[in-house]
Every structure is written in C-alpha cells, then in structure tokens.
Amino acid sequence: MTTTIAVANQKGGVAKTTTVVSLGAALAELGQRVLLVDIDPQGSLTFSLGIDPEDLELTVAQVLLGTQLADDAIVVTDDGMHLLPANITLTQAEESLVGRTGREQRLRVALDKVVDDYDYILIDCPPTLGVLTVGALSAAQQVLIPLQAETLSHRGVGQLLDTIHDVRQFINPRLEIMGVLPTMYDGRTTHARNVLEAIGETYDLPVVLPPIPKTIRFAEAPAIGRSVLSTAKNHKGADAYREVAAGILAAAGAATGPKRARSRKRSDSPD
C-alpha cells in the first residue's frame, strides 16, 4: 500500500518544506520510491530541489484543473525523488477551483493515477487552510504537523485540528494524525523543552521523535538545490530526519521491497 502524508501547518516558517525534502530523501535512502507534491504557489519545494519554478510549463496547477495528467508533469530530482512541481500559476488555479465541482477531491483523483508507482507520497501544503490544503488532506492517509518549538508557534494548531476533523468527517474518514514533529529545536533551553511537553498535553497529540535540531544547514541546502542529506550528509539534522523516516517505516511494517516506478524525465536543474 502506498502511504500518502500531508505535511501541514497554516503557520509559515515552521519547516514544512524542509521536512518534505529531508524526510523524502531519508525514505529514498532506505530504498523507498518517493513522490513529493508541491501545492504551495510559492513553489518553495520545487525551488529547494534545484528547479526554477518560473521555467516550468507543466505543474500541479494544470493537473488540478484537469488539463494535464500528473504523469506528464512529474520530474526526477537530483536526489532521486520524483516531484510534482508548482509555481505561481497555482494561485490562479486555486481561484478557479473555488467554483468547480469536486475541488477537494481533485488532487486525490490525480494522484490515484500514479499511486502504484510509489511507496510514499509527501505533500507540501501552503501556509493556509484553504482549498489547496483541504485537497491535500483529502488525498492523504496521514497528516504530519511540523511545529517550531516556540510558544507562539503552536497557537494556531487548534484551527488546523478543526480543519482535519471536518475533512475526516465529511470528505476523508481514513485520515489520521501521525503527530507533531518539533522543528528548530534547541534542547539546551528550558523554553523549548516546556513547549514540547505542552504540545502533547494541550492537544493530546503524539510527538514524532527525535525533534529536528535548529541548524543553519537547513537554510543552506535549498541554495544548492539538494536535500540536507546530500549537502551535510553526516550532520545531526540529516540524522534526525533519518531517524524519523526509520520510525515511519517501522510503524508501517515496511514492505519487503520498493515498487518499480516508470521511467521519468529528469529536471534541468543546475548542479
């Protein structure tokens, strides 16, 4: 069974994109076939993988509007993961989707056509709770919530949980919360440790461990167009995501072997 995970939090700057790239790379290292899906009009995931969003003709926008198949828009990244990219045209597509039938199900329907090619699909959600995020939650089996280990960062979690509840009730009853992934964590501070404890107590959510450490390495990787597992292979940040990936596979009872994906075109990303 393919596992689809939406990485969501309406608050920006909590390492959603970093988590999708790094976790995807860690799963790929473990022999899994991984598709990353960018549904943020800013195209941060696309850019972080060495692809200029402005150079793209086919993106997830055309896929959601039904004018192209996901198979036609997917590219291969230098880290070996496949990517359904995005750029600013997704903003217009989102506006158009508001008045269209089945808008919440369009991403799921599109991914259903390629799902057999992959073991894991990770969706990078925008920092909103609009139609794109709802569409991602509708397509996913699990949702992972990256959360910066600071007090102000978890104030909006209740809104996200309300949205997840509504999606589960009316659209996607199979959706489960994988848990909260603490990011930008500095274990040396009492504040960070207290926030970590408060998350579990306040929202009754599982905390995905280990917490992801705060490090400049995560900011440096997108400039090179690679994951931190490639740019800082032995760094503690890379190792933390490897541990999270191993935990996900262990919890899922990892399959005996990865699926074989059909050959894809490679991106024209810079070295």
Side-chain angles (χ1 to χ4, degrees):
M1 290 288 293
T2 302
T3 301
T4 302
I5 303 171
V7 180
N9 189 330
Q10 77 272 22
K11 188 179 187 306
V14 297
K16 286 190 297 293
T17 298
T18 295
T19 293
V20 171
V21 172
S22 305
L23 186 56
L27 288 167
E29 274 190 357
L30 292 170
Q32 303 300 296
R33 295 300 302 178
V34 180
L35 172 65
L36 308 183
V37 180
D38 191 349
I39 58 163
D40 186 347
Q42 298 176 81
S44 296
L45 175 62
T46 301
F47 178 82
S48 294
L49 289 167
I51 300 169
D52 187 346
E54 303 308 314
D55 290 341
L56 294 170
E57 294 183 6
L58 297 182
T59 71
V60 70
Q62 289 79 29
V63 174
L64 292 177
L65 291 175
T67 61
Q68 297 289 338
L69 297 174
D71 206 44
D72 297 325
I74 290 172
V75 296
V76 181
T77 72
D78 286 337
D79 279 79
M81 300 167 289
H82 292 182
L83 171 69
L84 181 53
N87 60 20
I88 195 62
T89 61
L90 186 53
T91 298
Q92 289 140 357
E94 181 180 18
E95 293 173 356
S96 177
L97 285 173
V98 171
R100 296 210 182 182
T101 302
R103 56 187 177 274
E104 297 95 349
Q105 301 285 359
R106 287 184 175 232
L107 183 61
R108 179 191 61 77
V109 170
L111 294 179
D112 278 349
K113 294 178 173 61
V114 298
V115 70
D116 289 339
D117 288 344
Y118 302 101
D119 299 294
Y120 283 88
I121 299 175
L122 306 182
I123 307 173
D124 187 19
C125 298
T128 68
L129 293 176
V131 64
L132 294 175
T133 296
V134 171
L137 296 175
S138 301
Q141 288 119 7
Q142 299 183 342
V143 54
L144 178 63
I145 307 171
L147 193 65
Q148 187 177 357
E150 293 185 1
T151 300
L152 292 178
S153 293
H154 70 79
R155 292 185 62 193
V157 172
Q159 285 180 295
L160 176 58
L161 295 180
D162 287 343
T163 299
I164 292 171
H165 176 269
D166 288 345
V167 169
R168 184 185 288 151
Q169 184 174 3
F170 297 109
I171 305 173
N172 182 12
R174 66 179 179 168
L175 182 64
E176 299 178 352
I177 299 175
M178 177 185 294
V180 171
L181 176 65
T183 61
M184 305 179 207
Y185 181 72
D186 186 351
R188 299 170 299 177
T189 68
T190 302
H191 176 71
R193 293 194 298 271
N194 289 342
V195 168
L196 202 58
E197 293 175 6
I199 293 168
E201 294 173 0
T202 303
Y203 301 106
D204 192 26
L205 294 173
V207 177
V208 178
L209 297 174
I212 308 302
K214 187 175 184 178
T215 168
I216 191 63
R217 298 295 187 184
F218 290 126
E220 293 171 344
I224 304 172
R226 303 292 296 272
S227 74
V228 72
L229 278 73
S230 295
T231 61
K233 186 173 297 186
N234 299 316
H235 190 270
K236 61 182 180 180
D239 286 341
Y241 276 111
R242 288 188 180 101
E243 287 188 51
V244 172
I248 289 173
L249 285 181
T256 55
K259 295 181 176 67
R260 292 179 58 86
R262 293 193 297 274
S263 176
R264 307 273 183 194
K265 58 182 178 293
R266 291 189 61 84
S267 67
D268 295 322
S269 58
D271 292 335

